[in-house]
Amino acid sequence: MSRIVIQQLLFNRVNYLNALKAINITQNRYKADKFGHTFAFIQEGTEIRELPLIVRNVCSNEICCNEECTETGETEINNDELVIKLNDLKNETDRKKADEEIVDVIRGFKKCSSVKSLVDLLEIVMLDEITPAVALCALKKIVELENFKFHVASNKLSSILDTKPNIDYTKTPILEKLLNIIMKGDNNTAVVGTLELIPIDRVQVLPFDTFKNKISEEILCRVTENKLNIDNLCRSIDAFSKLNEVKTADQLWIGIMDKSDQINEKNIIQVFRILHLLKKSRKTIMNLLERRLKHFWHHLCTNDLIEMLYIIRFTKSSSNIILKTTSRWINTNIHTMSENNVTSIVNELNNSNYVDIGIVRALERYIKAKHSTINSPLLMVEIMNYCSKFNVRSENIFEGCAKYIIQFGSNITPSQFRNLFWPFGQLNYKPKSALEFWIKVENIMNKEFHNFKTQETIDILLSCVFLEKHPLNFVHRVFNTCFLHNLYDEGGKNDYTKTKLKIIDQCMTLECDHYRGPVLPRDKFAKSIWCDFRIKRLLKEINSTLENTFQGYKISYSTILSQLPLMSIYIIDALVYPVKLELNNRYINFKKHPGLCTVILVHLPEHYCWEKEHLTGIETTRIRHFRKIGLNVMSINYKKILELKYPAELTEYINNRYKSMLAPC
């Protein structure tokens, strides 16, 4: 198999034919066939891809050079224009009559209820005088009638032998004549329509091999001549894929590239729909769509945008350009969209793992304007799921959601309430209308407690303790044998669920005076706990700076205290304690010596909300608990440490964090 290198991606017809001529001269072994195949290395920016190409075997005198094409082309165009003008003036009435006759013939085909009546009509019409469109209509009707008979027979559970056609079309010239009329005509749509008939012809009324080979060659020939438009190319790729001709379908990418200027807001979705049918050329077509979309993105309709996002996710084609364009479109059209459309778009963005400031600002404006008129709870759920997934702590969105819960909380399902309420605790956001909000939450919990799934109940209680709202009325319902048994039956025996229960128990023990805990037993056996090595590596690099800041103190790393459960969130990154401290720092009662020791916590990027200003709920709770047991807390931003270039900057940052550390509660 030969390979060529083509640097320029946008071919015109002459350059492409000259390239095929050069390939044809060196490929003598393809002379026996009408078409051969080769590969071209296409370079786009820094990417180089190997794409399949069609090689059409022709004689050398059939390919003209550039000069001949330009000279003869101009004269032919001039002659054609004259002929067209004359025909428009002289034969306008004749054409109208011909069109009316064609319409009458097609109506006659549609009225035929049997193949015999259709054949009789074809004999009356005279095959030599019908057009490709009429011939395609006749083939469609024959396939439709025979396959309908097969469908009826199969439903009646009759023998497959009874579903054979009444006429042996392989021995009659009717089908071949119709095929020749289509192939010899200039109607490209009729050629593609014939190819589309083959995969839906279950009875194989049409001679499969004959029709498939001839039509496939004709389509490939017209692709090399740049005759098919975008619609026909997309339909051809779809038809070839249904015939399991994936390699042939992949070769039609060159036709789409040649017709790239025809791609607009009306047909771009057709090109997107064939992406999953392409293999090697998918990325090239995707890059083309990215370039074309920039010109008319503001004219796209909502359904097309949703389908585009779905196709990108379905084909696993990462395209930040299209996603950024989507963000601009949403920003422009957010207030003109229906609730269902907004729900679908946010769902696709959620599944595509994409977030940017434009989308967040658009959702903020939408919620601020329409939170009181939103009828679909699915929309609010989808938006809050989006915020939860990407840690988007937006005041406008959360305040709108809080008002929505207050107004419509009684009409939503328990699962929807969990999805709406959980992000408040996860991202540590306390609503401004706190009294009304918490009264509504408590009423919903009292009313629907037994309708919640066990995992949903745990998430709601965990969100409450993150926000320092202690659900004392509901904790005893969770820490009982019946609830824990149901939790185990629902698959809640994993470590993550156990961790949630331990956090709830510990929060209530430290922060609620009326809670008699801890209820859950402590771990008595050693076990492995996951530690992030990014934190260990950073602390090792800044160790000398920390020692200079805390002179007269010792620093121990990855420390575990006996006062807190054995969990990863309670591992102290660095514990600073006096040198003269005789007691083991692991077992000392820090409440008797408040402020004596200091906890240094390194916060990774994922510990912050999306805007990188607020810590998440679990990190805030972690800091609060260390302060509750009598420790100072000094927080260090991992990302800011990495951005510092000089030792003096590092020393200044550590000193500032030391001055602003939090004292015990």
Side-chain angles (χ1 to χ4, degrees):
M1 189 64 67
S2 66
R3 287 172 173 80
I4 60 174
V5 179
I6 301 176
Q7 294 180 349
Q8 185 179 3
L9 187 62
L10 300 177
F11 296 105
N12 57 36
R13 180 181 176 187
V14 175
N15 291 339
Y16 181 54
L17 292 177
N18 286 337
L20 294 184
K21 178 180 178 180
I23 298 170
N24 187 61
I25 293 173
T26 59
Q27 297 299 311
N28 294 326
R29 57 177 173 172
Y30 291 133
K31 288 289 185 179
D33 299 325
K34 189 173 182 179
F35 290 97
H37 308 283
T38 188
F39 291 91
F41 288 99
I42 306 298
Q43 181 175 359
E44 292 181 291
T46 58
E47 295 184 5
I48 298 178
R49 283 184 291 276
E50 186 182 52
L51 300 180
L53 276 180
I54 310 166
V55 180
R56 183 180 175 187
N57 295 320
V58 295
C59 299
S60 58
N61 57 3
E62 294 183 19
I63 300 182
C64 60
C65 62
N66 293 342
E67 297 179 358
E68 294 174 350
C69 283
T70 55
E71 292 176 1
T72 58
E74 291 178 358
T75 57
E76 288 177 0
I77 290 172
N78 293 333
N79 293 334
D80 290 342
E81 289 178 354
L82 292 174
V83 171
I84 291 171
K85 290 180 180 179
L86 290 173
N87 289 336
D88 289 340
L89 293 174
K90 296 179 180 180
N91 299 330
E92 185 175 355
T93 57
D94 295 339
R95 285 181 183 174
K96 288 183 179 180
K97 291 181 180 179
D99 291 340
E100 291 176 358
E101 291 176 357
I102 290 173
V103 172
D104 291 338
V105 172
I106 293 176
R107 287 176 179 172
F109 287 158
K110 292 182 178 180
K111 292 179 181 179
C112 294
S113 58
S114 65
V115 178
K116 185 178 184 304
S117 60
L118 180 61
V119 173
D120 293 339
L121 182 58
L122 285 172
E123 292 176 353
I124 296 173
V125 173
M126 297 177 61
L127 291 175
D128 296 335
E129 298 180 0
I130 66 175
T131 63
V134 176
L136 176 61
C137 183
L139 288 177
K140 283 183 178 179
K141 193 63 180 178
I142 292 174
V143 172
E144 177 185 339
L145 291 172
E146 290 297 338
N147 282 270
F148 177 74
K149 186 176 68 173
F150 170 77
H151 175 71
V152 172
S154 60
N155 286 341
K156 292 181 179 180
L157 301 177
S158 61
S159 173
I160 191 65
L161 297 176
D162 296 336
T163 65
K164 289 185 177 180
N166 296 327
I167 303 174
D168 189 359
Y169 296 103
T170 59
K171 296 180 181 179
T172 60
I174 297 176
L175 296 179
E176 293 184 0
K177 286 184 178 181
L178 293 174
L179 177 61
N180 290 333
I181 291 171
I182 294 172
M183 292 177 60
K184 291 179 181 179
D186 295 331
N187 193 331
N188 298 315
T189 304
V191 177
V192 177
T194 306
L195 180 67
E196 292 175 329
L197 286 178
I198 299 175
I200 65 175
D201 183 17
R202 298 180 60 189
V203 190
Q204 293 191 3
V205 180
L206 309 178
F208 182 79
D209 294 332
T210 303
F211 268 64
K212 177 185 172 184
N213 295 335
K214 288 185 178 181
I215 289 295
S216 298
E217 288 184 356
E218 184 64 25
I219 288 178
L220 293 178
C221 180
R222 298 195 184 204
V223 169
T224 59
E225 295 174 355
N226 200 20
K227 289 183 177 181
L228 301 185
N229 58 25
I230 290 295
D231 178 64
N232 290 332
L233 286 165
C234 294
R235 290 169 57 192
S236 299
I237 291 173
D238 182 60
F240 278 125
S241 301
K242 291 178 180 177
L243 291 170
N244 294 324
E245 296 288 340
V246 181
K247 293 182 179 179
T248 305
D250 223 10
Q251 291 173 339
L252 301 189
W253 68 272
I254 189 65
I256 296 178
M257 301 302 297
D258 286 338
K259 297 290 185 179
S260 60
D261 57 334
Q262 294 182 1
I263 298 177
N264 52 40
E265 66 275 11
K266 296 180 181 179
N267 58 20
I268 190 171
I269 194 63
Q270 289 181 273
V271 186
F272 268 100
R273 286 170 183 160
I274 54 98
L275 282 177
H276 74 283
L277 305 175
L278 303 176
K279 301 300 179 184
K280 295 183 178 180
S281 60
R282 180 186 299 169
K283 183 61 177 177
T284 300
I285 301 299
M286 176 62 77
N287 292 342
L288 170 64
L289 293 173
E290 290 175 349
R291 293 192 295 270
R292 292 297 301 163
L293 193 61
K294 294 178 182 179
H295 300 289
F296 48 79
W297 61 269
H298 46 283
H299 293 303
L300 290 175
C301 68
T302 309
N303 292 331
D304 287 348
L305 188 76
I306 295 172
E307 190 170 358
M308 281 168 45
L309 293 174
Y310 170 77
I311 291 171
I312 292 174
R313 179 170 59 87
F314 178 75
T315 57
K316 299 179 181 179
S317 302
S318 58
S319 176
N320 287 329
I321 294 177
I322 292 180
L323 291 173
K324 289 179 181 178
T325 304
T326 301
S327 175
R328 294 176 63 188
W329 189 96
I330 294 172
N331 243 324
T332 306
N333 301 280
I334 186 69
H335 290 302
T336 63
M337 298 164 58
S338 65
E339 292 183 6
N340 291 335
N341 288 335
V342 176
T343 304
S344 300
I345 288 179
V346 176
N347 179 51
E348 290 300 333
L349 292 171
N350 203 348
N351 294 328
S352 300
N353 296 318
Y354 182 75
V355 61
D356 68 9
I357 189 65
I359 295 172
V360 174
R361 294 292 178 263
L363 293 177
E364 286 177 347
R365 296 200 313 271
Y366 186 86
I367 294 296
K368 187 176 181 179
K370 300 187 177 183
H371 67 86
S372 60
T373 60
I374 293 176
N375 296 319
S376 173
L378 294 177
L379 172 58
M380 290 301 304
V381 167
E382 204 62 54
I383 292 175
M384 294 305 289
N385 286 341
Y386 188 76
C387 294
S388 175
K389 182 171 184 176
F390 299 106
N391 288 349
V392 177
R393 188 182 184 273
S394 169
E395 180 178 346
N396 290 329
I397 294 177
F398 277 74
E399 283 299 322
C401 181
K403 293 177 182 177
Y404 184 85
I405 291 176
I406 294 171
Q407 187 174 358
F408 302 106
S410 302
N411 301 326
I412 59 179
T413 64
S415 297
Q416 291 171 347
F417 173 74
R418 180 269 171 200
N419 292 331
L420 293 177
F421 180 70
W422 164 248
F424 285 88
Q426 178 196 1
L427 304 180
N428 191 34
Y429 184 86
K430 299 177 181 179
K432 294 179 180 179
S433 53
L435 182 60
E436 295 179 60
F437 179 78
W438 288 109
I439 289 175
K440 191 67 176 182
V441 170
E442 185 175 7
N443 291 337
I444 294 174
M445 286 293 294
N446 279 323
K447 181 181 178 181
E448 303 289 345
F449 187 86
H450 296 290
N451 295 325
F452 285 105
K453 296 179 181 178
T454 54
Q455 290 286 355
E456 294 172 349
T457 303
I458 293 174
D459 288 341
I460 292 173
L461 297 187
L462 187 62
S463 184
C464 289
V465 297
F466 283 166
L467 296 172
E468 299 181 78
K469 296 295 180 180
H470 309 115
L472 192 62
N473 296 335
F474 304 102
V475 173
H476 68 279
R477 302 186 192 182
V478 173
F479 295 116
N480 65 63
T481 306
C482 181
F483 183 89
L484 296 177
H485 180 72
N486 293 334
L487 178 65
Y488 185 87
D489 291 341
E490 293 180 11
K493 55 184 178 181
N494 53 23
D495 293 336
Y496 184 55
T497 302
K498 294 177 182 177
T499 300
K500 290 180 182 179
L501 290 173
K502 289 180 180 179
I503 293 175
I504 295 173
D505 188 30
Q506 188 63 34
C507 286
M508 298 296 294
T509 301
L510 290 177
E511 300 175 357
C512 184
D513 296 333
H514 300 285
Y515 181 76
R516 297 180 180 179
V519 176
L520 298 177
R522 294 291 182 92
D523 294 318
K524 297 181 180 180
F525 302 98
K527 65 177 182 178
S528 60
I529 299 178
W530 182 82
C531 297
D532 199 308
F533 279 91
R534 290 177 293 176
I535 296 176
K536 288 188 174 183
R537 185 168 59 249
L538 181 71
L539 290 174
K540 185 177 181 181
E541 293 175 357
I542 65 174
N543 180 35
S544 59
T545 306
L546 291 175
E547 290 179 350
N548 291 333
T549 303
F550 293 94
Q551 293 183 359
Y553 288 82
K554 287 185 179 181
I555 302 177
S556 62
Y557 300 98
S558 300
T559 305
I560 301 173
L561 302 179
S562 61
Q563 294 94 325
L564 298 173
L566 191 60
M567 293 187 296
S568 58
I569 67 167
Y570 290 127
I571 294 178
I572 300 174
D573 299 330
L575 179 64
V576 182
Y577 57 94
V579 177
K580 298 180 180 180
L581 189 65
E582 298 180 357
L583 297 176
N584 190 331
N585 57 59
R586 187 177 185 278
Y587 297 100
I588 186 174
N589 189 349
F590 295 104
K591 287 186 177 181
K592 293 183 179 180
H593 309 278
L596 180 65
C597 301
T598 301
V599 170
I600 299 177
L601 300 179
V602 180
H603 295 297
L604 299 171
E606 56 265 30
H607 294 169
Y608 291 90
C609 298
W610 182 69
E611 72 280 2
K612 305 303 180 185
E613 295 180 3
H614 300 87
L615 289 169
T616 59
I618 191 166
E619 290 300 316
T620 307
T621 302
R622 182 188 185 196
I623 293 173
R624 194 167 67 244
H625 286 183
F626 286 135
R627 297 176 65 194
K628 284 285 185 181
I629 64 176
L631 295 168
N632 300 321
V633 178
M634 172 179 165
S635 298
I636 295 177
N637 191 322
Y638 175 84
K639 189 175 181 180
K640 287 186 177 179
I641 291 287
L642 296 182
E643 292 173 353
L644 301 177
K645 298 180 180 180
Y646 304 104
E649 293 179 347
L650 177 61
T651 302
E652 182 182 0
Y653 177 78
I654 295 297
N655 289 334
N656 290 336
R657 299 311 303 165
Y658 174 75
K659 294 176 183 178
S660 60
M661 69 179 178
L662 301 175
C665 295

